[in-house]
Amino acid sequence: MPLAVYILGLSVFALGTSEFMLSGLLPALADDMDVSIPTAGLLISAFAIGMVVGAPLLAVATLRLPRRTTLITLISVFGVGQVAGALAPTYEILFASRVISAFACAGFWAVGAAVAIAMVPLNARARAMAVMIGGLSIANVLGVPAGAFLGEHLGWRSAFWAVGAASAIALIGVLTLIPRIPLPAEKPQLKRELTIYRDRQVWLAIAITAFAAGSVFCAFSYLAPLLTEVAGLDSGWVPTVLALFGIGALVGTAIGGRYADAHLFGVMISGITASTVLLVALALTASNPVAVIILTFLLGVSTFYTAPALNARMFNIAAAAPTLAGATTTAAFNLGNTGGPWLGGAAIDADFGFASTAWAGAAMAVAAIGLTVLSLRYHRGADTRIVTGSLQTTSIDSASDGIPSTGIASDGIASDGIASGGTATTGRG
């Protein structure tokens, strides 16, 4: 794996810390800004909305710009956004700073993912994405709990200052260690890249990713009040439990990245199913602190176990437009990160309690499973048509030469194409 991929993963640490740290800061932030916890939770949705809109817009805007320069600019803007958040005197200004930071974060993810994918062979795409997602995992292990700790002892603004400092370190890493990425000989054409959106498998991948991400973050966004108000834990436990989620995320990323290249749909279905079961268990045992702690760790495992496969799937079916594929995946994840907290906040506002966020998340996960099964059905149908055509063609050619038919191998279609989700077969339905 090229060193530059690991540098991108380390840069994602700063991005991920900012994206998820509010889950441990909501009570203190809501009290300081004089808003309700669901209203404070909209700051999480604001960041996610910025990611949804910013990823495709910045991918298009920077399509013909040097990759390294683009990464440097985006991480710089992101750092400035963190400083603005730390200094924000009102909720409205803090909201705006989150959206601006999210735009920069989205662009960095989209361009960074395209760069990482371009530097590795086809059969290492999921592992390359696992390295970048590993930055998110480390953010959940170290960054998010550290933010909660700082918020508990030095105020929530100190967490924003800390992420600003981490962004400066990431900028130094990109400046010194990311090589200059030459632009392709043929300039990318936006019209050609946009053709990926004609593929129903692309839209299915977007929906699957959005529902899978939203299912977990529907509950995770309100984990701090669930721990203190329902499970009865002291607020000092929040950083520890968040760290356990991050450790689970690190474990899940390592396992998912190892197996997703070979068993893409298997990882997707098993991971999302596990998240569904865990969310139902969390809803049923929310008042039991030991159960909540264990389930939080396991949710970290199941969520990030699935993430490399979800990323690789989009790059496989949209290989002709890698930058837009990265942007689309980023937008899809953050559609879930927008809808999940919103749905969880709606359940809380309806007086169903904090535990209801887990039930709502489980419902989203069930929808993701159904869409994944549908996508697999289309994928197998496409493979069947391709293989049938290959057999017929080979039989005709062989008959004319007096050579026995060789079947699938004559077209070089791997026998495990369905499991791997690879681009040896189109998989586009």
Side-chain angles (χ1 to χ4, degrees):
M1 194 64 61
L3 176 62
V5 176
Y6 290 99
I7 298 303
L8 291 171
L10 290 174
S11 300
V12 167
F13 168 79
L15 306 180
T17 299
S18 178
E19 183 173 3
F20 301 126
M21 69 182 181
L22 288 191
S23 60
L25 301 174
L26 283 186
L29 190 152
D31 184 62
D32 186 50
M33 288 290 181
D34 195 26
V35 296
S36 68
I37 286 181
T39 299
L42 290 177
L43 292 169
I44 300 173
S45 294
F47 196 98
I49 291 170
M51 293 277 284
V52 170
V53 177
L57 283 181
L58 285 171
V60 169
T62 63
L63 196 59
R64 299 188 179 186
L65 297 180
R67 305 289 83 185
R68 181 173 178 271
T69 302
T70 302
L71 292 174
I72 290 170
T73 302
L74 291 171
I75 195 67
S76 300
V77 173
F78 177 81
V80 171
Q82 301 310 297
V83 174
L87 297 172
T90 65
Y91 174 85
E92 290 73 20
I93 293 177
L94 178 59
F95 192 97
S97 75
R98 295 294 287 170
V99 174
I100 292 170
S101 296
F103 263 71
C105 180
F108 192 97
W109 256 109
V111 175
V115 169
I117 290 294
M119 290 191 292
V120 300
L122 179 66
N123 63 355
R125 284 177 169 179
R127 277 179 287 161
M129 292 311 304
V131 172
M132 288 194 67
I133 296 167
L136 283 182
S137 302
I138 297 172
N140 280 287
V141 173
L142 299 176
V144 175
F149 179 84
L150 289 173
E152 179 75 15
H153 294 88
L154 299 176
W156 63 269
R157 295 178 188 273
S158 64
F160 281 81
W161 285 115
V163 175
S167 303
I169 296 171
L171 173 61
I172 294 172
V174 173
L175 280 168
T176 58
L177 296 172
I178 296 292
R180 294 187 180 276
I181 309 295
L183 290 172
E186 182 181 355
K187 290 185 177 180
Q189 297 180 12
L190 178 60
K191 184 177 180 180
R192 185 174 60 190
E193 293 220 358
L194 287 173
T195 59
I196 66 171
Y197 296 118
R198 298 175 183 173
D199 186 349
R200 64 184 176 188
Q201 284 283 34
V202 168
W203 289 104
L204 276 172
I206 291 171
I208 292 165
T209 302
F211 277 104
S215 66
V216 174
F217 287 98
C218 181
F220 181 78
S221 298
Y222 300 97
L223 184 60
L226 186 145
L227 290 170
T228 56
E229 300 291 331
V230 183
L233 290 170
D234 184 82
S235 59
W237 273 91
V238 173
T240 302
V241 179
L242 291 174
L244 284 174
F245 181 89
I247 293 170
L250 200 58
V251 172
T253 301
I255 299 172
R258 180 179 179 85
Y259 291 106
D261 282 311
H263 306 285
L264 190 142
F265 277 102
V267 169
M268 288 168 62
I269 293 174
S270 61
I272 300 171
T273 301
S275 293
T276 306
V277 173
L278 292 169
L279 285 165
V280 170
L282 180 63
L284 294 173
T285 62
S287 59
N288 185 322
V290 175
V292 170
I293 292 172
I294 294 172
L295 289 169
T296 299
F297 166 77
L298 294 175
L299 272 172
V301 175
S302 67
T303 303
F304 283 80
Y305 164 78
T306 314
L310 294 172
N311 276 276
R313 175 61 179 160
M314 182 64 77
F315 279 101
N316 285 348
I317 58 179
T323 303
L324 274 183
T328 302
T329 304
T330 300
F333 270 105
N334 285 280
L335 278 172
N337 292 351
T338 302
W342 174 83
L343 183 60
I348 295 169
D349 282 336
D351 293 328
F352 290 122
F354 291 113
S356 65
T357 59
W359 284 117
M364 295 183 74
V366 170
I369 294 170
L371 291 169
T372 305
V373 172
L374 180 61
S375 179
L376 176 58
R377 179 183 175 186
Y378 287 146
H379 182 83
R380 284 176 169 167
D383 287 342
T384 300
R385 289 193 295 275
I386 292 170
V387 170
T388 301
S390 301
L391 287 169
Q392 290 173 347
T393 301
T394 305
S395 298
I396 293 171
D397 293 341
S398 299
S400 63
D401 293 332
I403 300 171
S405 174
T406 55
I408 296 172
S410 66
D411 265 358
I413 298 175
S415 61
D416 63 348
I418 293 176
S420 67
T423 52
T425 56
T426 63
R428 298 194 177 192

